[in-house]
């Protein structure tokens, strides 16, 4: 082995993540309990009403179609760059690098938005038992940013344990509440007469599908952690499918029980007129004050697990680009003891804290800022899924292989149709998605500007640094 090969091997991440370690990271990223309490009433009230459970099933089916091509591509492009690597392999290095910068900015927006939501949630907690009372939102956000920075410095298995514990508790309390609703018979018996095919297309089906698909964003993390996975050829595809199926079951069953718990008419009324309190109120109806207290605690742990998961994903994107030489090589150094991308993680922590300080001094209203950043980041990840699907189709058209057309062309083509329709609906409703048309346009300018910058930068690298250009997309490391 040459000295260069030894150096490259030393830069590789290592780990022993199992299927469920990765699954828990993905599910923690999506913060299921937060979605159940905060988003289900929105989908019912602003979307297609009582057809919301079917919307989640349809969104889950679309994600499974996407996953067919995504996991098939993973076997032929065994790199940890996920969308970045796949778009490069299928559509070229220029668009691949542009998509990587776009993904990094999207995850940064999502991380900052999540920290703003941390502040909103925890600022209601009184610390009178230690003589402090309630703290302002920004103190909570900065404190959690420091804690996540510390965890991100260590081996990924430590973060995985934290995420697993938080997620298991979330899922248990969710199913306990659902069991209580079903055992009690709901508000008006367990009749399903209201769940008809017609309700699927009632109200605003466009917004419903848009919000539903957004809830599944981020499962590319299954491929981002490839280098740290145990037997990735098996672990990554298995974790991808389990994650999507688990999210579909959790979201669809919770929406169904939300409607049963209130009763169809009351569920519509509460979702339209009081969406911010409807989720917690129906939990209190069946689990009482003790259950609500537990849920409040788990919502806090859910949000913490979410920011930790996003931090780890973003750090590994930066690590991948630095290994390729696109970013500073010093960011690709792996910690000798913890085997973590600690410098990339440290950079994410610095960016996070500086962004929060900028938000504090600019007087950003935290909840409005959260809604705008999360909305536009979800939209961007949807665009990246479309590019990835096109890349899968093009890659397998150009590459001879023995994989069936169903996996390489038919399923990706169906996914492309569904994702494109969803993106069109998202574009038509971009103001509702972010809370402000003007803010949406500014954020979109940054995101598509990052795509263009990456494409131009790749062209420049082709002339000035051909070896770095060849490595784009984790193609030659």
């Amino acid at each position: 082995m040459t000295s260069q090969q030894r150096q490259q091997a030393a830069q590789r991440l290592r780990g022993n993540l199992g299927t469920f370690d990765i699954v828990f990271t993905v599910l923690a990223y999506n913060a299921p309990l937060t979605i159940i309490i905060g988003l289900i009433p929105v989908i019912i009230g602003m979307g297609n009403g009582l057809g919301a459970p079917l919307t989640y099933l349809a969104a889950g089916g679309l994600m499974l179609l996407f996953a067919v091509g995504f996991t098939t591509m993973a076997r032929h492009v065994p790199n940890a760059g996920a969308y970045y690597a796949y778009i490069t392999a299928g559509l070229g290095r220029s668009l691949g690098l542009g998509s990587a910068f776009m993904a990094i900015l999207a995850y940064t927006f999502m991380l900052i938005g999540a920290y703003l939501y941390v502040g909103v949630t925890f600022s209601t907690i009184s610390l009178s038992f230690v003589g402090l009372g309630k703290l302002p939102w920004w103190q909570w956000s900065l404190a959690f940013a420091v804690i996540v920075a510390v965890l991100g410095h260590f081996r990924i298995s430590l973060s995985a344990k934290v995420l697993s514990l938080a997620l298991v508790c979330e899922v248990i309390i969710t199913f306990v509440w659902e069991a209580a609703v079903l055992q009690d018979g709901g508000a008006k018996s367990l009749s399903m007469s209201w769940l008809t095919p017609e309700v699927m297309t009632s109200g605003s089906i466009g917004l419903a599908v848009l919000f539903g698909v957004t809830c599944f964003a981020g499962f590319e993390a299954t491929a981002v952690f490839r280098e740290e996975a145990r037997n990735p050829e098996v672990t990554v595809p298995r974790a991808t499918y389990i994650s999507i199926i688990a999210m579909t079951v959790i979201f669809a069953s919770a929406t169904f029980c939300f409607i049963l718990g209130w009763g169809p008419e009351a569920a519509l009324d509460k979702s339209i007129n009081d969406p911010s309190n409807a989720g917690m109120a129906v939990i209190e109806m069946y689990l009482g004050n003790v259950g609500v207290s537990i849920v409040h605690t788990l919502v806090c742990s859910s949000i913490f697990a979410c920011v930790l998961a996003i931090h780890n994903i973003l750090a590994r994107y930066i690590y991948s680009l630095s290994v390729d030489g696109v970013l500073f090589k010093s960011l690709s150094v792996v910690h000798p003891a913890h085997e973590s991308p600690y410098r990339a993680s440290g950079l994410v922590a610095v960016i996070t804290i500086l962004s929060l300080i900028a938000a504090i001094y600019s007087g950003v209203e935290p909840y409005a800022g959260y809604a705008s950043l999360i909305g536009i980041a979800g939209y961007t990840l949807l665009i990246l899924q479309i590019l990835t699907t096109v890349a899968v189709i093009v890659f397998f058209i150009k590459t001879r292989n023995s994989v069936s057309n169903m996996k390489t062309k038919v399923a990706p083509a169906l996914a492309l149709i569904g994702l494109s329709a969803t993106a069109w609906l998202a574009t038509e409703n971009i103001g509702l998605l972010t809370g402000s048309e003007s803010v949406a346009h500014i954020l979109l300018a940054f995101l598509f500007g990052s795509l263009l910058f990456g494409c131009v930068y790749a062209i420049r690298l082709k002339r000035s640094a051909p070896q770095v250009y060849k490595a784009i997309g984790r193609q030659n490391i």
Side-chain angles (χ1 to χ4, degrees):
M1 181 182 290
T2 66
S3 60
Q4 182 181 10
Q5 287 174 326
R6 282 194 296 271
Q7 182 183 16
Q8 290 169 344
Q11 290 174 335
R12 287 296 194 99
L13 293 173
R14 295 193 241 345
N16 196 34
L17 294 178
T19 297
F20 284 98
D21 291 324
I22 300 176
V23 168
F24 289 153
T25 298
V26 173
L27 294 183
Y29 167 94
N30 291 85
L33 194 56
T34 303
I35 287 176
I36 290 168
I37 293 171
L39 196 56
I40 284 176
V42 174
I43 291 182
I44 294 174
M46 296 179 62
N48 61 337
L50 301 180
L54 298 178
T55 299
Y56 273 120
L57 292 177
L62 177 58
M63 292 299 100
L64 285 172
L65 277 175
F66 172 81
V68 172
F70 182 76
T71 55
T72 303
M73 186 81 160
R75 296 185 178 95
H76 292 78
V77 184
N79 306 326
Y83 294 161
Y84 163 48
Y86 301 165
I87 293 172
T88 300
L91 302 179
R93 289 177 171 83
S94 181
L95 192 56
L97 186 57
S99 69
F101 286 155
M102 195 179 190
I104 286 175
L105 194 56
Y107 279 117
T108 301
F109 282 171
M110 193 165 287
L111 184 58
I112 302 306
Y115 274 116
L116 294 178
Y117 192 67
V118 165
V120 171
T121 302
F122 282 82
S123 62
T124 61
I125 298 175
S126 174
L127 297 177
S128 57
F129 59 92
V130 292
L132 291 176
K134 293 182 179 180
L135 300 178
W137 70 267
W138 58 269
Q139 290 187 10
W140 284 107
S141 296
L142 288 174
F144 272 75
V146 172
I147 295 171
V148 168
V150 172
L151 287 172
H153 177 83
F154 293 100
R155 192 185 301 270
I156 185 64
S157 56
L158 175 60
S159 294
K161 288 181 174 63
V162 174
L163 295 172
S164 300
L165 178 61
L167 182 72
V168 168
C169 293
E170 284 185 65
V171 173
I172 288 174
I173 196 66
T174 298
F175 287 139
V176 167
W177 165 66
E178 291 182 6
V181 172
L182 296 174
Q183 184 178 17
D184 192 68
K188 294 185 177 179
S189 79
L190 298 180
S191 171
M192 294 173 57
S193 58
W194 51 270
L195 192 59
T196 63
E198 290 75 19
V199 301
M200 180 65 184
T201 55
S202 64
S204 176
I205 181 63
L207 280 177
V209 173
L210 171 58
F211 284 128
V213 169
T214 301
C215 292
F216 290 83
F219 67 82
E220 66 154 313
T222 56
V224 171
F225 293 109
R226 181 183 181 89
E227 288 183 1
E228 296 159 279
R230 181 192 318 136
N231 190 10
E233 295 295 330
V234 175
T235 301
V236 170
R238 184 184 293 164
T240 301
Y241 286 115
I242 292 175
S243 297
I244 295 171
I245 293 170
M247 286 187 282
T248 303
V249 170
I250 292 171
F251 299 151
S253 64
T255 308
F256 178 72
C257 288
F258 176 93
I259 295 171
L260 285 180
W262 280 115
E265 296 82 5
L268 279 173
D269 178 68
K270 293 290 184 180
S271 297
I272 293 171
N273 298 312
D274 191 21
S276 60
N277 296 312
M280 196 64 78
V282 75
I283 290 175
E284 185 175 10
M285 287 168 58
Y286 293 91
L287 296 184
N289 292 331
V290 173
V292 168
S293 298
I294 294 173
V295 169
H296 272 300
T297 302
L298 291 178
V299 166
C300 293
S301 68
S302 173
I303 297 168
F304 171 68
C306 176
V307 294
L308 178 57
I310 300 173
H311 177 100
N312 283 331
I313 293 169
L314 183 53
R316 279 147 186 82
Y317 252 104
I318 292 174
Y319 161 81
S320 290
L321 287 174
S322 63
V323 169
D324 293 350
V326 174
L327 297 180
F328 297 111
K329 271 287 187 181
S330 59
L331 295 173
S332 67
V333 176
V334 174
H335 196 284
H338 305 304
E339 297 181 336
S340 63
Y342 72 106
R343 290 188 179 177
S345 178
L347 178 62
V348 172
V350 170
I351 292 172
T352 299
I353 292 172
L354 290 178
S355 299
L356 286 173
I357 292 172
I360 293 164
Y361 279 98
S362 63
V364 169
E365 198 286 310
Y367 191 82
Y370 154 77
S372 296
L373 291 170
I374 295 294
I376 208 70
Y379 175 87
T380 307
L381 292 177
L382 180 61
I383 299 299
L384 289 170
Q385 286 181 340
I386 291 173
L387 289 173
T388 301
T389 306
V390 174
V392 170
I393 295 172
V394 172
F395 177 83
F396 284 111
I397 288 175
K398 297 188 300 184
T399 306
R400 289 189 176 186
N401 60 83
S402 58
V403 184
S404 69
N405 285 333
M406 179 59 69
K407 292 183 177 180
T408 59
K409 297 180 180 65
V410 177
L414 292 174
L416 180 60
I417 294 170
L419 291 169
S420 299
T422 304
W424 179 80
L425 293 170
T427 306
E428 289 287 306
N429 296 278
I430 196 68
L432 289 172
L433 186 63
T434 61
S436 169
E437 290 276 357
S438 59
V439 171
H441 292 154
I442 293 171
L443 295 177
L444 283 174
F446 274 106
L447 287 163
F448 284 104
S450 67
L451 177 67
L452 179 61
F453 173 79
C455 292
V456 173
Y457 183 35
I459 294 172
R460 180 178 176 277
L461 287 173
K462 187 175 182 179
R463 296 194 301 266
S464 61
Q467 291 303 316
V468 173
Y469 177 79
K470 289 180 181 179
I472 288 175
R474 313 301 307 277
Q475 303 302 307
N476 180 28
I477 58 175

